[in-house]
Amino acid sequence: MIPNQLKRKAFFRLLCPLLLGFSGSSFADTSAPSSTPSAEWQQVIENAKGQKVYFHAWGGSQEINRYLQWTSRQLKQRYDVQFYHVKVSDIAETASRLVAEKAAGKNSGGSVDMVWINGENFKSMKDNQLLFGPFVEQLPNWQYVDKSLPVDSDFSEPTEGLEAPWGVGQLVFIHDKQQLNNPPQSHQEMLSYAKAFPNRLSYPKPPEFHGTSYLKSLLIELTDNDPSLSQPVNDEDFNLITRPLWDYLDQFHQVAWKQGKQFPSGTAETIQLLDDGQLDLAISFNPNAVFTAQNNGNLAPSTYAYALQHGALSNIHFLAIPWNSAATEGARVAINFLLSPEAQSRKGDLQIWGDPSVLKKSVLTGNAAKTEAFPSVAEPHPSWQAALEREWLRRYGS
């Protein structure tokens, strides 16, 4: 008998080679264009002095938290802006708080000064007029943004200058080449793999962001990216369009890790389970997460990230300012700093965060300009996120 571990290594040996997705391109030109801030921007900097900026952002990554601690120190030293990272597990919590403040007529002195958002949360805040702006094109560092990226649209919703692009996300899977040399290249192959080797695959539990992203990627593949996915959800068609998704998950959960009765809490747990040998695939929305995990000793050097054959679900994530912020100048100074070549190069450093930059590569330094993106698949319309989460919770959430 061949041990299961060796079987898993050989299972897809005859299939397409691993999609590594990263090139060995040389470092970019590190020089950045120089410019003198306008008198208007100098006034923003002056007014920002002494302001406290409460930034609501996901707090589930040590790398991100450390990066924001560095940001806080820089903003204090350079601009006398006090920057506080308010850790949240789901930015929808912040959106609900802002809705409550709007309903109570609290149109100034709000409790939130900056938010890290995209997709459904952006559309909800925009529709409810919860955002300050437009302000993005007035930022001095807007000149460095790579306009070939979809920086003016968020899950098909026009941003209209109400949020500034901060980074690029892509849904990828991570495997250990010593345990699984040729991983599944599609969701259908994952189902076949799970049936052959039960209890080895899983995904984070929706509505956790990575879990919902997994559902969207799965639905895109199973429906051959049905054109309806780019439009607002039609309740009459929802059951018909999503039927292949639920049929797939009914089968997958029977052979998934913990028989689909328990799910990882997020990407960090899938990485831990991969490193512990309990899972054969981890999931991330950062194609460089494998490198930062390796640098931190959380993954073996033999681990690699790859995208599925139909492409990686991709989006831009953004920074926005609530309409009633008590520190709009401080928030704009903070966002402008986070869009600087210095801050973006540090954020893209594989040993620090490794988040792909939204800036032109010519202004980035170090290994922030080293990696290439995977072929991308656009996000569905924002309304699909909430609809999928509700139906998933109804079917499997108990």
Side-chain angles (χ1 to χ4, degrees), residues 26-48:
S26 58
F27 292 131
D29 177 6
T30 60
S31 62
S34 61
S35 63
T36 302
S38 66
E40 290 82 3
W41 184 252
Q42 291 286 15
Q43 189 61 52
V44 170
I45 292 175
E46 188 65 27
N47 292 345

Side-chain angles (χ1 to χ4, degrees), residues 171-189:
L171 186 70
V172 296
F173 296 88
I174 302 171
H175 71 110
D176 189 330
K177 199 170 184 179
Q178 291 188 353
Q179 307 300 323
L180 177 60
N181 189 41
N182 289 302
Q185 299 293 308
S186 68
H187 287 291
Q188 290 288 11
E189 289 184 6

Side-chain angles (χ1 to χ4, degrees), residues 64 116 166-169 285-289 292 317 344 346-350 352-358 368:
I64 297 173
W116 180 15
W166 193 27
V168 181
F285 216 85
N286 179 354
N288 296 333
T292 53
H317 50 90
Q344 285 274 307
R346 185 178 180 87
K347 183 164 71 77
D349 191 318
L350 301 180
I352 295 175
W353 178 353
D355 189 49
S357 178
V358 293

Side-chain angles (χ1 to χ4, degrees), residues 148-365:
S148 70
L149 296 171
V151 294
D152 58 358
S153 178
D154 187 347
F155 285 53
S156 77
E157 180 71 24
T159 58
E160 299 178 354
L162 297 173
E163 57 178 1
W166 193 27
V168 181
Q170 292 195 301
L171 186 70
V172 296
F173 296 88
I174 302 171
H175 71 110
D176 189 330
K177 199 170 184 179
Q178 291 188 353
Q179 307 300 323
L180 177 60
N181 189 41
N182 289 302
Q185 299 293 308
S186 68
H187 287 291
Q188 290 288 11
E189 289 184 6
M190 284 190 190
L191 180 58
S192 298
Y193 183 87
K195 288 180 177 179
F197 305 102
N199 206 39
R200 304 296 308 176
L201 299 182
S202 188
Y203 60 93
K205 182 178 181 179
E208 194 276 339
F209 171 77
H210 298 87
T212 303
S213 297
Y214 171 86
L215 296 183
K216 289 185 285 188
S217 173
L218 179 54
L219 182 62
I220 287 170
E221 179 183 313
L222 295 177
T223 62
D224 196 22
N225 206 357
D226 189 297
S228 299
L229 299 180
S230 64
Q231 303 298 321
V233 170
N234 182 322
D235 292 337
E236 294 180 1
D237 295 337
F238 179 78
N239 290 336
L240 178 63
I241 293 171
T242 61
R243 185 178 300 159
L245 173 67
W246 314 123
D247 289 345
Y248 178 103
L249 292 178
D250 286 345
Q251 296 179 64
F252 182 71
H253 289 170
Q254 293 179 23
V255 290
W257 181 72
K258 304 290 186 182
Q259 292 76 52
K261 294 180 173 59
Q262 183 179 334
F263 297 87
S265 59
T267 180
E269 187 174 357
T270 68
I271 288 175
Q272 183 62 57
L273 291 168
L274 173 66
D275 193 52
D276 290 344
Q278 294 190 52
L279 289 181
D280 288 339
L281 292 177
I283 190 170
S284 175
F285 216 85
N286 179 354
N288 296 333
V290 63
F291 299 116
T292 53
Q294 288 170 348
N295 290 333
N296 292 330
N298 295 329
L299 282 178
S302 53
T303 49
Y304 293 83
Y306 76 105
L308 299 181
Q309 282 179 338
H310 72 270
L313 186 71
S314 304
N315 64 48
I316 306 291
H317 50 90
F318 295 83
L319 301 171
I321 304 170
W323 93 104
N324 65 347
S325 164
T328 58
E329 293 92 353
R332 280 180 281 171
V333 167
I335 292 174
N336 188 63
F337 174 74
L338 289 168
L339 278 180
S340 68
E342 176 189 358
Q344 285 274 307
S345 294
R346 185 178 180 87
K347 183 164 71 77
D349 191 318
L350 301 180
Q351 297 185 31
I352 295 175
W353 178 353
D355 189 49
S357 178
V358 293
L359 301 191
K360 302 167 187 174
K361 286 194 174 183
S362 60
V363 302
L364 298 172
T365 59

Side-chain angles (χ1 to χ4, degrees), residues 92-168:
E93 303 166 12
T94 299
S96 297
R97 174 186 293 197
L98 292 172
V99 168
E101 290 185 359
K102 186 88 167 184
K106 190 177 180 61
N107 293 316
S108 62
S111 61
V112 183
D113 300 300
M114 270 177 62
V115 289
W116 180 15
I117 58 171
N118 68 357
E120 179 194 18
N121 290 310
F122 168 67
K123 180 168 175 53
S124 173
M125 291 186 190
K126 180 184 176 186
D127 289 348
N128 286 286
Q129 299 182 319
L130 301 178
L131 297 175
F132 169 86
F135 71 93
V136 174
E137 293 190 12
Q138 285 73 52
L139 300 174
N141 288 329
W142 174 250
Q143 64 180 309
Y144 304 128
V145 172
D146 183 355
K147 308 307 190 299
S148 70
L149 296 171
V151 294
D152 58 358
S153 178
D154 187 347
F155 285 53
S156 77
E157 180 71 24
T159 58
E160 299 178 354
L162 297 173
E163 57 178 1
W166 193 27
V168 181

